[in-house]
Amino acid sequence: MSGMTQEQGGLVYNVFTTGCPSRGTLEHVTGRWGGLTLGALHEGPLRFNELRRRINGVSEKMLSQTLSALERDGLVHREAQPTNPPRVDYELTPLGRRVTDRLLTLIHCVEDAMDDVLAAREEYDARQKS
Amino acid sequence: MSGMTQEQGGLVYNVFTTGCPSRGTLEHVTGRWGGLTLGALHEGPLRFNELRRRINGVSEKMLSQTLSALERDGLVHREAQPTNPPRVDYELTPLGRRVTDRLLTLIHCVEDAMDDVLAAREEYDARQKS
DNA sequence: CTGTATCCTTAATGATACTG
DNA sequence: CAGTATCATTAAGGATACAG
């Protein structure tokens, strides 16, 4: 398979290589809506429309698409009750929780850095004008 | 400013809110090329074309665009020698290193999970067929 | 070598309407 | 409620040429 190397009997995945499947999964996790979806589910299971309200700005279509990708990758579990009206709960799998923990650490790091980031932007923009 | 709350005298940024500037920075960090660029620079300073060769698949245009955004956010420092031919080195700032450390932890977590992810996909696809 | 500018193509997203 | 389908729009990306 492309983008992977063999090493001591185990397959080694490398996101830096085109064609490595890990690149796609990383994109699902860090994509515009993927990350926010995982973050929202970190606090506990949520229904479809609960998620929509939490993730400010996501459309039905994108949320549906995002959830499918995450479910297919084994990061999110989908539990559908066969009731009427239907009720569907989404929750993180153990694997999803591991990934999301790391993702949230990154997110919080970025949020904490924003004062510095905004200051850097002002300086950069000022330098460009001159 | 939109997307931020005030709390005990400090500004609180929240990527889950539309309009919060942290959302943009997170996208620079986790975007298709931003993450790979930061990851490549983690090992040390690199020149423009060295970066291009490292980041398999990136075009001149996207790399240039990505580097500008990261520089503006204060995550990457650009050092241009006024020689001919020109030589430009890019390296992480201390802030960029903090963010990149978290990002690489996430990336490695995803890479390590890929065997499970691929297995989950097969199961998902099999379930869809039936 | 290190980019910028342009054009063009494709992929992502959003709005809307509709189904079970 | 929980989606899917369709269409229109927009944004991202790639190829190429060229400038400093």
Side-chain angles (χ1 to χ4, degrees):
Chain A
M1 210 182 284
S2 150
M4 287 144 59
T5 57
Q6 187 85 30
E7 194 176 90
Q8 280 126 299
L11 281 171
V12 176
Y13 301 89
N14 180 0
V15 293
F16 286 82
T17 314
T18 313
C20 182
S22 63
R23 198 129 147 180
T25 298
L26 183 65
E27 275 170 28
H28 295 157
V29 170
T30 61
R32 182 145 176 224
W33 304 117
L36 299 175
T37 302
L38 292 173
L41 289 175
H42 191 248
E43 300 158 41
L46 289 172
R47 303 174 60 175
F48 187 83
N49 279 317
E50 289 174 334
L51 270 169
R52 264 201 79 189
R53 282 187 291 273
R54 280 272 180 135
I55 305 168
N56 211 289
V58 71
S59 66
E60 286 186 352
K61 181 182 157 190
M62 291 317 299
L63 180 57
S64 172
Q65 226 170 74
T66 300
L67 284 167
S68 294
L70 294 175
E71 187 195 355
R72 191 168 103 97
D73 282 352
L75 303 174
V76 164
H77 174 71
R78 178 179 182 279
E79 188 78 37
Q81 252 86 32
T83 58
N84 191 307
R87 176 193 175 101
V88 181
D89 286 282
Y90 292 93
E91 65 179 331
L92 296 181
T93 62
L95 178 59
R97 218 172 345 265
R98 276 215 306 284
V99 171
T100 304
D101 284 342
R102 270 79 170 175
L103 178 64
L104 285 176
T105 301
L106 172 64
I107 286 177
H108 293 142
C109 176
V110 168
E111 288 173 342
D112 292 347
M114 285 313 293
D115 284 335
D116 293 340
V117 168
L118 263 30
R121 283 189 191 169
E122 286 195 26
E123 208 189 305
Y124 180 95
D125 292 344
R127 234 180 310 125
Q128 298 309 302
K129 264 191 304 201
S130 63
Chain B
M1 210 181 286
S2 149
M4 288 144 60
T5 57
Q6 187 86 28
E7 193 176 271
Q8 280 126 306
L11 280 171
V12 175
Y13 301 90
N14 181 359
V15 293
F16 285 83
T17 313
T18 313
C20 182
S22 63
R23 199 129 147 181
T25 298
L26 183 66
E27 276 170 27
H28 295 156
V29 170
T30 61
R32 182 147 176 220
W33 303 118
L36 299 175
T37 302
L38 292 173
L41 290 174
H42 190 248
E43 300 159 40
L46 288 173
R47 301 176 61 176
F48 187 82
N49 278 317
E50 289 174 335
L51 271 169
R52 265 201 80 188
R53 281 186 292 273
R54 282 268 182 136
I55 304 168
N56 210 288
V58 71
S59 66
E60 285 186 354
K61 181 183 157 189
M62 292 317 298
L63 180 57
S64 172
Q65 227 171 72
T66 300
L67 284 167
S68 294
L70 294 175
E71 187 195 354
R72 191 168 104 96
D73 283 352
L75 303 174
V76 164
H77 175 70
R78 178 179 182 276
E79 187 77 36
Q81 252 85 32
T83 59
N84 191 306
R87 177 195 175 101
V88 181
D89 285 283
Y90 292 92
E91 64 180 331
L92 296 181
T93 63
L95 179 57
R97 219 175 340 267
R98 276 215 305 285
V99 170
T100 304
D101 284 342
R102 271 78 170 176
L103 177 64
L104 285 175
T105 302
L106 172 64
I107 286 177
H108 293 141
C109 176
V110 168
E111 288 174 343
D112 291 347
M114 283 314 293
D115 283 335
D116 293 341
V117 168
L118 262 30
R121 284 190 191 167
E122 287 195 25
E123 210 188 306
Y124 180 95
D125 292 345
R127 234 179 311 125
Q128 299 308 301
K129 265 190 304 200
S130 64

